[in-house]
Structure formats: C-alpha cells, structure tokens
Amino acid sequence: MSTGGLARSPIASPRLRSRFIVPAEATRRRRRRARARRSRIPVYHGRFGVEQAERLLWRAGFGPRPGEAKRLARKGLDDAVRSLTRPGSERLSGPSPRDDDGRPLAPEDAYGHAQLWWLDRMVRTRRPLVERMALVWHDWFATSNEGVGSARLMIRQNKLFRRLALRSFEDLLREVTRDPAMLIWLSGSGSTKEAPNENYARELMELFTLGAARGYSERDVREQARALTGFEHEWDDNLGPVSFHFEHDNHDSGVKRVFGERGRFDWRDTCRLCLTNSNHPSFFVTKLWSYFIPTPPSKRTRSALERLYVAGDYEVRPLVEAILRHPAFYEGPRMVKPPIVHIAGMLRALGRGVDTEAWVWLSDGAGQQLFYPPDVAGWDDNLWLDTSTWRGRWIATVFALQDELLQPGKAPLLPEESASAAVDRALSFWGDPTISRSTRTALVAFAERCRTGADRPWKKDAYPLLCQNALRMMIATSPDLQAA
Amino acid sequence: MSCCNDYSRTELLRNAAAAAGGAIPEPDSRMPVPAGSSLSRRSFLLRSAGVALSVYGATRLELPAIEAAVAEAAAGPPQPVLVSIFLSGGIDPLSVLAPVGDPVYRKLRPTLALGEAEGTGFAEDGRLRWHPAAAGLSTLHSEGKVSVLPGVGYDHPDQSHFNSRHFWEVGALDRQLRTGWMGRYLDRTGTPDNPLQGICFDGRLAPALAAAKVPVATVSGDGRFDLNTPGVWSEMSGWMHDTLASLGARHASSRDAGLRQAGAVTAQATSLVRVLKPFGGKNLVVPPDYPKQDAGNMPRSLSSLAAMIAAGLPIRCVAITGYGGYDTHDDQPADLEKGLKAVSSSLLAFQRDLEARGVADRVLTQVWSEFGRRGEENGSLGTDHGAAGVGFLIGTRVRGTMIGEYPGLDRLDEDGNLRATSDFRGVYCGLLEQWLGTDAGAVIPEAARFARPALLK
C-alpha cells in the first residue's frame, strides 16, 4: 500500500476519519438530527397486502413459496423488509439437488452443474434477498466462464458475492479486484509494469464504479492500469489456473496521476480512488436502484440515497432497505423477471427441487445462463423477452410441470365445476398468485370453452383434466407472472 | 393467371409454400371454404401464404392484429431482403483467400500457409487462392454472384471481440449505442405490428436487429417454432393459442410498462407459432444441397428462411450466426476448415434454393466477422486477433467484383495487422441506399463521411 496516495487523499475513508475525530456530544446530536432531516427518503404508506408482498418476494428474491406472501403481508412493510434484509442463518429447505442419474451434483467438475448448484440455492434458500444480491453482483461484475474456463473459480467468486451480499461495497470492490475469476476475465493477471493491461481499469470505472464517460479520462485509464499491475497466477495441468498472487517485481511502483491526484498508487488505491470519486455515489445508488425499480429515482431520493451511502461507509444493506420501502417500489410499473428468477420461482411454488440437468439448456433457451453473462456489461434487462426467449420460458414451464400432468385415464376425475372454479383450481395449484382482472377474464373464457366444448362422453371426463393442464401453463407464462 | 392480380399472387404464394415447407397444412374442417366473400381479403391472402390460421367460433372474426399485419405486408409488392451472416471470433482472411503469390506470406505463415496448388485460383487477383473448404463461395464467385471484401474494417481497429463486434452490430464506433444498424433501418421503414420484418434465427436477438420502435422476431435456429404442450390436445390446443394471443393483446396496451412488454411479446410469440408452422418442424423439408451434418443449425435456418421468403412472408432483414468458431488462437487449420466448409456449402445451397424458388433476385446475403487476424502466425498453430478482415456480399444482383483491394502483407499496420481497404460503415451505407433504397444518413451515424462502393450490377 502506498502511503503517499492515502496521505494526499482529500477524502480518506469516513471510517478512518471517525476513528480520529471525536466531536462533543451536543455537536454529534445536532449533526445526527440534521442528517436525518436531509436524508429523509420517502417511505411507502399505502396498503401492504398480498399483492405488495408478492412483488417484494419476486424482486428481492425468487418468488413466494405457497402461503409465504400471505405470511409476509401480515408482518407489515417494515418487518417484511427487515425479514429479508436481516435474515437468520441459512437453512436450505427442500429436496437436495440431483443430476439426471439421481446422483449428487459435482458443481466444479461436471458440465453445467455449477449452474444447477446455484439454481438449487435460489430454490431452497431461506435468505432469498442474500441469494438475489449474489445475482445482482454477478450481473454488476459480470464475469463469464466463457473467458474464465473454470467452474471452480466461478463458484469461488459466487461465494464472495454471497458472503458480502449486503455488506460494504468498499470491501466487495477490493475483493472483486483480486478475485481469481475476475483477474482472468478482465486480464488483470499477467498485467505487468512492462505491459500494463487496461481491460480491468477501464471496466472498473466505466461499468463498476463511475459510469461511461463520467469523471475519468483515457489518461486515468492508463494510469489506473499501471496501478493495477502485479497480479499473476500459475497453471496446473489438472486444476487449471492456480496460485493467484501479487508479484511485487511485476508491479509498477512509480508515481501515477489519477483524477488529478498523484501518488505511488497500487490496486487498493485504485479501488479507493474510484470510491471517493465524486461521480461514484450517484452511479452506485442509481445502478443499485435499477435492479429493484424500473423507473429512475427522483433527484431528491437519489441525493438522499447518496448521502446515506457515503455516511454509512458504503454499506449496502441500508440502501437496499430504503429502496425496498420506497413508494416507487410498490406504486410504479412492473419489472420483467429475469428468466432464472422465473424458473426458480416455479420450482419454489411447486416445492420441487433441482432434479434434472435440463435446467441448464432450458434457462439458456429462456435467455439466461448463470455464470455466462453475454458480456462484461451483464444482461440487458430490456432484452429479456423476445419471441424466442418467450418460447424458451414456455418450454421451461412445460418441464417444470412434467411430473404434474393430469392424464385422462390415469388422473382422478375432477368434479363438475364452473369455469371460474376451474381457474381458481389452477391458481391454487400455483399457490394462488395474484392475477389481473383481464387475465382472469381470458382464462375464464377459455375454461368456459372447454366446458361447453365437452360435447361427447369421453370429453366430459378428459376435458376438465386437459383444461387444468392448459390453465397451469397459461397462468405461469401469463404477462402477470412474467413481470412482477 | 392474369385475371386478377391478387389471385395470381396468392396462387404463386400457395405454390411456393407447397413447394417450400412441405405441403400447406390441412385446412381445419371448421374453417369456411375460402370462396367468394366468406373470408376477408386479408385473411384470404394470409391463408394462401401457407399460414395455418385457425379461426374458431364467432368470437374472433377479426384476425389478431399481428397476423393481419403480416398478411397486409405480405400483400404489398415484394421487397428486397438482406441476410446478415455473422462468423464469430474473427475469421482469418489470409486463409480464406490465401495470398500465395505474396512474397511475405510464407515468411509470416511458415506452418499455416496454404500450398500453392491448394484450393482454386481467384480470378480477380492472381496472388490469391480460395481455401479448399471455400469451394462453395468459389463456385458462386465464378458465376459472378460474390463480391469479395478482402480488407474490410475501420480506422483505429479495436482488437476486443466484444468491442469490435459491437461496432459492426450497431454500425458505428460507439460503445454506448444500443440499437443495431438493421434495427434502426426497420425503425425508419418498418411497421409497428409485423415482427417478421426483422428475424433472427439464433434463439435470441442479434444486436444488429435491435430496434427501438418496431417489433422484430427471434426464432430458434433448430427449425422448431411450435409450442409443444404435453397434456393439451386436439381442439383445446387451438383454444389455448387463441387465449394466449388475446391475453397478450389485452396487456399489450396496458398502462404498466412491464405488463405491456410482456403482453406484446406474448401476442407476437403466439402469432409466430401459427404463422411459421408451415416452415418448421416436420413441415420443413431441407433440400438435398445443404450439408447433412457438421453444420449446426445453418442448413435448417437457411432452408426455412428460403421457404418463408418464397412464400411471401414480409421479411426485410435477417440475422443468423454462421456455424463454427473462428477465434483460432490454436489448431487453426482443422477448426477453420470445419467451419468454413459448413458455411461455404450452406451458403451455396441457400443460393441454389433461392434460385430454384425464383426469388434469388430479391435476396442479398452479407457475410461478416468482427475482425481479421494477425499477419504473423503465433507459434501454437494459430493466429491472434487482427484488424481488417474478409467479408462477402452474395446474390444474383451483386456486382461480383472486389470491394477494396487486397491490402498486401508488405504494408501491415503497427500491430502487424492488415490495413482496411474498405470501411464496413461505407458498405452498410451502400446496402441501405442501393439495396434497401433508403437514406443511409438516417441510419448510420456520420454517414456522409464514408465512400459508398458500387455494390450492385
């Protein structure tokens, strides 16, 4: 660590500062009150019922298990949010994952098993927001195994995302910067003082901390690249890339000039300089917000979130709590669910574990392969749905239901019931998700057609069953359930 | 055939569809016979285009908006079609058209150089020879149906796959641009409810087709466009498709942006299932010219595309990722040969397919890769990322002569890469103006800066 850089820094870490300066009690109280006044972030005061709880569970997790939305709604908004942001210790519940031969997964060794391993966490977790934040960080620091070529390192990075899910972004950024998968993905490993590689330096500022063309120049990219030199690793014929370490001889220990500041910066300084850049807080809170709310924050909310972020030493949890309690979260438009969230949600609703490797190609067909984001910018939320990925979601739903098919001649006969009751039956199969009135109208019309179309004796027995199969498909793939 | 234009056109369409993807699907027994005024003109056209329409009951006399729009567009005059084929990874131009007559070639490529008698000669430049695996392209070239771009690229080349491909997809050296160059063309000239105007066969959207205003379609490259649903049979499948389409349509006009997007795609996807049924699955008969194996989805994608075009489906821009991976840092000879052979023979079969269907004059195929490869080989039987690369324009209407000259190995750039002798943005401008008949200035940023090569005969 280069002391020169720290000493010259106009904003040393707030954590450091507070350790040395102890203001008088009265001053502290006055400041706290002032801060509270300034950083008042609007809180949702509308009805917090099942529908709101469902939205919360879909956006801050992977959807409700049967009855979960009702239970969460009874807690009220504040406790509901706290139960997600401050969960108890992890206990995975439900059947443990299996491959197609009924064997336990081999996440680091067998093709696709790393994806299944994570999908299983999403399905069985009791800490859904932690798991969802791991997905957020996977998208934020989008690293693809296409370039890394090691499931072992991808899982290692994934565990980092989970461990620091709601903690300090300062810590997360530092850990990611020296994370082996990232060091391979963005060419940090092997970047030396003789040939500094600009890949990580550029994306660090453009995509991870500041935003494109915000507060840095091409010169800053080159200088940060110099500061980041020195990482390397070795190759093992059996294990692949191993022994990631910092090699001081390969590091450029000369003076660099970054954001107008001079010092013998190293990789830690690079992270600090990005965090303390005045463009970082607005970038950070806006990007974090965008994972939970599709419309941008108002200027007032944004500034308040920025203050909360900086005053809170870059802690993520308070920000997420503020976002999950914000009126825009409940009053604004829906968000299209990422395909993997849709899939995990179906399995959660069905109480089904990961019991087939098909989820690897099914999620790919729906447009999202875990550990394989399309590029370093991550997945584009506006592109989740097209006519082919929609069909991919349909096929995934077919697979989710493959053990639940009602087959005429095998399944018990259903009682004669109204079209409306038939729709209720199918909804209850999925744990009674809320659907819009216009979707319900279309489904009831379909069920009515099935009822009146059963004009032969065999149809009278078979059609109610086929009708349930069709309704289950249409509910799970309806616009209501594609977007939450 | 001349008594009525609509009739003759629909008959042509019907014949084309019948010849194309197998037979026209059996008319549903509940459908009224299309005679006289019992069907609207639009629905009649649509039916005749080989589209399996199932109109049930009296509740839906109107066709769903999307199918109606497809029919409407199909009824218009035939439009030119642009097919973009992407070769991923950066194909090696110095192997596809090997400069065996360039004295520097063997020095830079001691192990990879093509032999002096391998492949076939390139008539336009005696220094070059076609790779043996490019026989299909060589054949089409000898017929005057291929324009070769032996050094296509741009100034200050970027050697990142991601960046360079992005530039080609969006049609500008702009990392922030999020619409594709064909997408912007469709935004300008397309319609708000015909997703087939832009179609991608890669199972997800090709960035070049990303539009901001109009819908485009993506389909699976394996030639399957159905919504197979176990446990739902017979007439109930049709009812279910109707319900999905109407569910989608109801939400497509929602005030809620998320519901609106999900609704629109639901409606489009279920309409496509019906519209594309004759061209996929068991209905698709791949003509024997196409490679039978080792060509991935290319034969099925291209042959169903040919059938769709011949049937009059209103397709304007198409994106397909070609078979193979061309990032040949090692083992280049085997990998390149495998991919190039599949692509080249698929493209020849596609051209023959279009010619046999009588629609070849309407289709122009553009083949591109994100960059070329380093002049000097790298010591692992491979080559590293380069700058200018090789591209092709294929079709009966292309000029059939080189666009830009072979750049030569005696004047490589400072990184040891080929210099561009044509700019891809100039080629796009030419395609927009000369082939698609639109103002390139409204599609390609700074279009006025780029020289337009003459592309057509």
Side-chain angles (χ1 to χ4, degrees):
Chain A
M1 173 83 125
S2 58
T3 47
L6 245 189
R8 284 165 186 273
S9 166
I11 321 169
S13 151
R15 195 182 290 164
L16 275 178
R17 196 173 44 202
S18 62
R19 213 175 287 157
F20 298 111
I21 307 166
V22 186
E25 179 61 30
T27 322
R28 266 217 310 276
R29 224 179 301 136
R30 201 168 53 242
R31 279 192 194 157
R32 200 160 51 227
R33 275 200 305 270
R35 199 159 54 226
R37 245 195 333 273
R38 267 182 290 136
S39 63
R40 201 167 291 141
I41 300 170
V43 174
Y44 175 68
H45 286 301
R47 181 182 127 80
F48 187 77
V50 172
E51 210 175 329
Q52 287 72 26
E54 282 175 342
R55 173 171 286 194
L56 183 57
L57 285 166
W58 278 114
R59 291 194 191 171
F62 301 86
R65 294 201 171 92
E68 199 175 349
K70 232 179 227 157
R71 284 195 298 278
L72 197 69
R74 276 200 294 269
K75 288 182 198 281
L77 174 67
D78 288 353
D79 285 350
V81 167
R82 259 194 298 276
S83 74
L84 290 165
T85 58
R86 296 158 197 267
S89 57
E90 180 68 294
R91 273 179 306 133
L92 299 176
S93 61
S96 58
R98 297 281 171 207
D99 70 6
D100 283 333
D101 300 318
R103 292 174 308 205
L105 299 181
E108 295 187 359
D109 300 319
Y111 170 77
H113 282 209
Q115 297 174 53
L116 299 172
W117 168 81
W118 192 3
L119 176 63
D120 171 66
R121 304 275 318 207
M122 296 173 178
V123 173
R124 291 200 295 150
T125 184
R126 310 276 276 198
R127 299 157 57 104
L129 177 59
V130 171
E131 214 56 51
R132 188 65 187 258
M133 284 306 298
L135 186 58
V136 166
W137 299 129
H138 178 42
D139 183 77
W140 190 302
F141 296 105
T143 306
S144 172
N145 200 28
E146 187 78 42
V148 176
S150 165
R152 176 175 56 88
L153 296 185
M154 295 305 294
I155 288 172
R156 178 172 162 175
Q157 186 191 63
N158 184 261
K159 288 178 174 167
L160 166 67
F161 291 154
R162 188 172 294 104
R163 182 163 58 83
L164 296 179
L166 287 158
R167 310 282 284 279
S168 144
F169 187 72
E170 185 176 14
D171 294 348
L172 180 62
L173 187 64
R174 258 207 308 267
E175 292 307 314
V176 165
T177 300
R178 61 172 176 174
D179 169 68
M182 182 60 89
L183 284 172
I184 295 181
W185 171 238
L186 291 184
S187 326
S189 186
S191 175
T192 62
K193 61 184 169 197
E194 288 82 19
N197 189 303
E198 295 173 8
N199 207 357
Y200 186 75
R202 182 181 303 282
E203 308 305 6
L204 169 67
M205 293 188 277
E206 177 178 328
L207 298 170
F208 304 161
T209 58
L210 301 178
R214 287 177 88 245
Y216 65 92
S217 64
E218 281 300 309
R219 176 177 176 157
D220 292 324
V221 173
R222 288 195 296 273
E223 294 287 277
Q224 294 276 43
R226 289 178 58 210
L228 287 160
T229 51
F231 287 103
E232 60 177 33
H233 68 273
E234 279 149 36
W235 182 264
D236 180 291
D237 281 345
N238 294 316
L239 296 170
V242 292
S243 314
F244 287 79
H245 62 281
F246 184 80
E247 180 58 57
H248 195 78
D249 288 349
N250 291 338
H251 173 64
D252 181 341
S253 52
V255 172
K256 296 107 189 167
R257 189 181 165 87
V258 176
F259 309 145
E261 198 179 327
R262 286 166 53 83
R264 294 182 183 277
F265 301 136
D266 69 3
W267 63 276
R268 291 184 188 84
D269 300 312
T270 291
C271 295
R272 175 184 54 78
L273 287 161
C274 288
L275 280 185
T276 54
N277 184 302
S278 60
N279 283 289
H280 171 63
S282 58
F283 170 83
F284 182 85
V285 302
T286 313
K287 188 170 165 100
L288 183 67
W289 173 280
S290 75
Y291 285 100
F292 298 100
I293 301 177
T295 48
S298 70
K299 201 158 167 282
R300 186 169 146 246
T301 291
R302 200 194 71 201
S303 318
L305 287 169
E306 286 176 41
R307 283 191 298 272
L308 183 65
Y309 177 55
V310 175
D313 281 356
Y314 309 112
E315 285 291 317
V316 174
R317 190 190 321 267
L319 283 185
V320 173
E321 286 180 339
I323 292 169
L324 298 183
R325 296 165 75 231
H326 198 279
F329 187 95
Y330 302 95
E331 292 164 357
R334 295 181 185 232
M335 292 176 89
V336 173
K337 295 173 192 171
I340 202 71
V341 172
H342 184 241
I343 288 171
M346 288 194 291
L347 296 179
R348 284 171 72 86
L350 295 173
R352 178 177 170 183
V354 171
D355 54 13
T356 167
E357 291 159 67
W359 295 115
V360 177
W361 64 264
L362 288 166
S363 62
D364 186 34
Q368 188 175 32
Q369 233 185 326
L370 292 173
F371 300 120
Y372 292 86
D375 57 54
V376 65
W379 285 282
D380 187 337
D381 273 342
N382 295 313
L383 297 182
W384 283 134
L385 281 177
D386 59 47
T387 56
S388 180
T389 54
W390 186 90
R391 182 172 171 269
R393 290 189 188 215
W394 180 272
I395 297 170
T397 310
V398 166
F399 269 75
L401 291 175
Q402 70 190 146
D403 298 332
E404 310 279 351
L405 279 188
L406 300 174
Q407 293 183 346
K410 290 189 189 152
L413 292 183
L414 292 172
E416 203 174 321
E417 60 192 354
S418 69
S420 179
V423 171
D424 287 339
R425 179 185 294 280
L427 283 168
S428 110
F429 171 83
W430 282 116
D432 287 316
T434 309
I435 56 167
S436 61
R437 192 177 302 156
S438 66
T439 294
R440 187 176 176 90
T441 307
L443 295 177
V444 169
F446 170 81
E448 185 59 29
R449 216 174 197 179
C450 297
R451 250 168 57 85
T452 53
D455 51 9
R456 309 255 173 81
W458 72 268
K459 289 184 178 178
K460 287 221 182 311
D461 289 348
Y463 271 24
L465 297 168
L466 303 186
C467 180
Q468 283 300 312
N469 290 333
L471 285 170
R472 291 170 180 182
M473 284 299 300
M474 288 192 284
I475 289 168
T477 56
S478 66
D480 314 57
L481 274 278
Q482 298 296 346
Chain B
M1 293 283 275
S2 59
C3 66
C4 151
N5 282 336
D6 274 348
Y7 176 76
S8 59
R9 177 161 167 71
T10 55
E11 271 309 292
L12 280 174
L13 292 175
R14 179 192 292 276
N15 293 340
I24 294 180
E26 283 297 306
D28 194 292
S29 57
R30 282 166 301 268
M31 284 287 294
V33 180
S37 59
S38 68
L39 276 180
S40 75
R41 175 175 163 274
R42 293 201 306 189
S43 62
F44 180 50
L45 278 169
L46 187 60
R47 222 183 137 61
S48 306
V51 170
L53 250 192
S54 37
V55 180
Y56 295 98
T59 52
R60 237 199 49 206
L61 291 173
E62 280 291 311
L63 289 169
I66 293 161
E67 286 155 69
V70 168
E72 184 87 45
Q79 301 282 348
V81 180
L82 177 64
V83 182
S84 157
I85 309 271
F86 170 54
L87 303 180
S88 173
I91 193 169
D92 180 26
L94 299 171
S95 294
V96 178
L97 270 173
V100 294
D102 188 324
V104 192
Y105 182 51
R106 251 155 245 292
K107 277 185 215 139
L108 295 180
R109 299 284 181 94
T111 60
L112 294 181
L114 216 65
E116 277 174 32
E118 278 189 84
T120 48
F122 181 69
E124 295 180 68
D125 186 331
R127 292 172 294 178
L128 307 179
R129 287 187 80 76
W130 288 101
H131 191 286
L137 287 168
S138 165
T139 302
L140 289 171
H141 181 252
S142 68
E143 296 171 10
K145 294 170 189 162
V146 176
S147 291
V148 175
L149 299 100
V152 62
Y154 50 94
D155 294 341
H156 307 297
D158 193 313
Q159 288 170 43
S160 135
H161 291 292
F162 167 56
N163 290 341
S164 198
R165 177 182 174 182
H166 176 80
F167 296 159
W168 277 80
E169 301 264 17
V170 302
L173 309 189
D174 180 348
R175 300 212 334 154
Q176 307 306 322
L177 198 53
R178 282 288 169 263
T179 51
W181 76 279
M182 293 193 289
R184 289 195 304 279
Y185 160 70
L186 293 171
D187 273 338
R188 205 176 137 67
T189 61
T191 60
D193 42 14
N194 164 26
L196 283 174
Q197 54 205 339
I199 182 166
C200 174
F201 284 77
D202 296 340
R204 65 198 53 192
L205 187 62
L209 274 178
K213 298 179 199 146
V214 300
V216 294
T218 58
V219 295
S220 156
D222 60 8
R224 296 200 54 183
F225 316 128
D226 62 324
L227 276 191
N228 179 35
T229 313
V232 184
W233 324 320
S234 71
E235 56 192 351
M236 207 177 284
S237 304
W239 301 343
M240 186 174 75
H241 289 163
D242 286 352
T243 307
L244 285 167
S246 95
L247 253 182
R250 280 159 190 261
H251 290 294
S253 54
S254 167
R255 276 187 318 194
D256 181 305
L259 271 183
R260 193 161 65 231
Q261 194 195 356
V265 172
T266 305
Q268 289 160 17
T270 42
S271 287
L272 281 189
V273 169
R274 299 199 263 213
V275 172
L276 298 183
K277 190 176 172 187
F279 309 100
K282 281 180 292 198
N283 294 325
L284 172 66
V285 179
V286 180
D289 287 354
Y290 288 93
K292 306 273 177 303
Q293 56 195 15
D294 296 330
N297 283 330
M298 247 187 130
R300 291 189 74 79
S301 296
L302 288 174
S303 57
S304 66
L305 172 62
M308 291 176 198
I309 293 170
L313 291 190
I315 292 171
R316 306 295 302 273
C317 294
V318 183
I320 296 176
T321 298
Y323 178 75
Y326 297 91
D327 191 20
T328 46
H329 290 281
D330 45 34
D331 294 328
Q332 174 167 307
D335 292 348
L336 180 82
E337 178 175 0
K338 190 175 174 205
L340 183 58
K341 193 171 170 197
V343 167
S344 180
S345 50
S346 296
L347 289 172
L348 174 63
F350 179 55
Q351 186 61 31
R352 294 288 182 257
D353 199 354
L354 295 170
E355 289 166 5
R357 293 170 187 277
V359 291
D361 286 351
R362 279 181 51 210
V363 182
L364 192 154
T365 301
Q366 180 230 350
V367 183
W368 63 281
S369 197
E370 67 265 46
F371 42 57
R373 304 196 78 77
R374 190 71 39 83
E376 190 173 14
E377 64 182 49
N378 67 7
S380 342
L381 269 185
T383 51
D384 296 325
H385 300 182
V390 64
F392 306 100
L393 299 179
I394 307 170
T396 52
R397 298 276 313 282
V398 304
R399 257 171 95 88
T401 52
M402 281 203 284
I403 296 165
E405 61 204 11
Y406 163 63
L409 294 171
D410 52 347
R411 44 183 296 271
L412 299 174
D413 70 13
E414 63 272 28
D415 296 325
N417 294 323
L418 287 178
R419 289 175 194 276
T421 55
S422 62
D423 190 300
F424 73 99
R425 293 162 292 180
V427 175
Y428 287 173
C429 289
L431 287 169
L432 289 161
E433 288 167 354
Q434 299 162 40
W435 180 246
L436 298 172
T438 197
D439 172 18
V443 178
I444 303 296
E446 301 179 81
R449 276 181 49 207
F450 308 108
R452 275 66 154 169
L455 304 179
L456 306 181
K457 286 195 176 94

